[in-house]
Amino acid sequence: MNPDGIVHVIDDDEAVRESLAFLLLTSGHTARTHASADEFLAILDGVECGCIITDIRMPGMDGIALVDRLQKRATVLPVIVITGHANVPLAVQAMKAGARDFIEKPFDDHTILDAVASALRCGDENGAERAHAHVIRQRIAALTTREQQVLRGLVDGQSNKVIARELGISPRTIEIYRANLMIKMDARSLSELVRMTLTATERPR
């Protein structure tokens, strides 16, 4: 097992916890499962490395509150939030609070494993990420005004319909702008687009 690859899976659904743990174990990671955010926080002082995968919606403390608590305790563990499609705005909120990434359900094994690998590397990538943030800012600056407006809406967690209403254009047109944004920003998914924009210190205006 990878000694630096401890992944803490937090989800109130036992089947989800065990499925993710099995996937992680068979991929060479050490996995620890927790039925709630409070259960994980109870052992946090003994956690030194790794990352966290947490559901956004759980009884008691939810994923956003957990991220906020971890930030207040200056925890360096990267957090990956799992969300249903309807909860994307909440996932964006979690990223603004300090989560590293979010993944929409349903997801495949490669998506989870890639996110975990990226999270586990993040401690060694600070310099590279600063350079990448500069590239992202350049890409944002090269967008048209309308594309920047759509990007701002996506980063704010708004749906296509809400963005379309605010900009006075059709949802179909927003879909076209969104597709163009994915190409120009070199993003493979909405979560990647949001994450890269948030990590570039300036937001589109």
Side-chain angles (χ1 to χ4, degrees):
M1 295 297 177
N2 183 351
D4 298 320
I6 302 174
V7 184
H8 295 272
V9 179
I10 307 171
D11 200 304
D12 60 299
D13 188 323
E14 182 179 4
V16 172
R17 291 198 309 271
E18 297 307 317
S19 175
L20 283 171
F22 179 78
L23 171 64
L24 293 163
L25 288 168
T26 55
S27 300
H29 299 291
T30 300
R32 300 283 185 267
T33 61
H34 313 274
S36 68
D38 288 322
E39 183 179 302
F40 171 71
L41 289 173
I43 57 93
L44 179 59
D45 288 342
V47 177
E48 297 181 355
C49 61
C51 70
I52 298 166
I53 300 175
T54 182
D55 196 3
I56 194 74
R57 285 197 178 278
M58 296 181 289
M61 184 183 298
D62 63 16
I64 295 174
L66 173 62
V67 171
D68 184 62
R69 183 74 62 87
L70 292 172
Q71 289 293 308
K72 289 179 179 177
R73 293 179 61 168
T75 304
V76 297
L77 297 174
V79 180
I80 301 165
V81 173
I82 297 177
T83 176
H85 178 71
N87 291 329
V88 168
L90 288 179
V92 171
Q93 184 180 341
M95 289 186 70
K96 290 179 178 178
R100 178 178 174 80
D101 203 353
F102 74 86
I103 297 174
E104 295 179 71
K105 299 175 183 176
F107 48 79
D108 57 35
D109 293 352
H110 291 296
T111 300
I112 283 286
L113 294 175
D114 286 349
V116 167
S118 177
L120 292 175
R121 287 195 306 267
C122 76
D124 299 325
E125 291 181 341
N126 290 337
E129 286 190 353
R130 283 193 295 271
H132 185 56
H134 177 68
V135 172
I136 298 305
R137 289 194 293 272
Q138 290 180 319
R139 291 176 186 168
I140 292 173
L143 297 174
T144 66
T145 299
R146 183 67 87 191
E147 287 168 343
Q148 291 187 23
Q149 290 171 334
V150 173
L151 178 59
R152 184 173 61 229
L154 293 173
V155 171
D156 285 342
Q158 296 177 338
S159 68
N160 288 356
K161 289 184 178 179
V162 171
I163 298 171
R165 185 168 62 248
E166 290 192 353
L167 297 182
I169 55 181
S170 71
R172 174 57 184 160
T173 303
I174 295 297
E175 291 178 6
I176 295 172
Y177 277 119
R178 181 167 159 173
N180 289 339
L181 280 171
M182 302 293 282
I183 295 171
K184 290 186 176 182
M185 297 294 291
D186 195 23
R188 293 168 295 179
S189 65
L190 175 60
S191 64
E192 184 177 14
L193 178 65
V194 170
R195 178 169 58 84
M196 67 168 56
T197 305
L198 290 174
T199 54
T201 57
E202 297 176 4
R203 290 188 52 200
R205 298 183 186 279

